[in-house]
């Protein structure tokens, strides 16, 4: 079973997992987020087409309001 890093935490995924599936697994399904895969931000429109590989590093970030 492949393993990826989500915000520096090792996480096991199934072999054919894509970014959209990972969002659901990680509990970010209905949240405003941005995702970087191995240091590159991925457009939301490409989440379901972006397959994950063993040892990928995924950074999930949420916007922070301020003012």
């Amino acid at each position: 079973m492949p393993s990826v890093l989500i915000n520096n935490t090792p996480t096991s995924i199934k072999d054919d997992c894509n970014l959209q599936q990972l969002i659901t697994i990680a509990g970010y399904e209905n949240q405003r987020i941005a995702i970087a895969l191995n240091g590159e931000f991925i457009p939301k429109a490409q989440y379901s087409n972006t397959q994950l590989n063993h040892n990928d590093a995924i950074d999930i970030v949420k916007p922070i309001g301020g003012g």
Side-chain angles (χ1 to χ4, degrees):
M1 183 173 278
S3 178
V4 296
L5 288 176
I6 301 175
N7 295 339
N8 295 318
T9 301
T11 305
S12 294
I13 60 170
K14 59 184 180 173
D15 287 327
D16 59 348
C17 190
N18 64 42
L19 275 180
Q20 188 62 52
Q21 293 167 326
L22 182 75
I23 290 168
T24 301
I25 292 166
Y28 291 97
E29 192 170 22
N30 294 315
Q31 299 181 36
R32 294 184 139 226
I33 57 171
I35 297 179
L37 175 62
N38 299 321
E40 275 191 52
F41 279 97
I42 306 295
K44 187 174 184 173
Q46 294 181 8
Y47 287 178
S48 61
N49 296 324
T50 303
Q51 291 299 124
L52 299 175
N53 298 302
H54 183 64
N55 290 329
D56 277 345
I58 298 109
D59 293 306
I60 301 175
V61 294
K62 294 191 238 181
I64 298 174

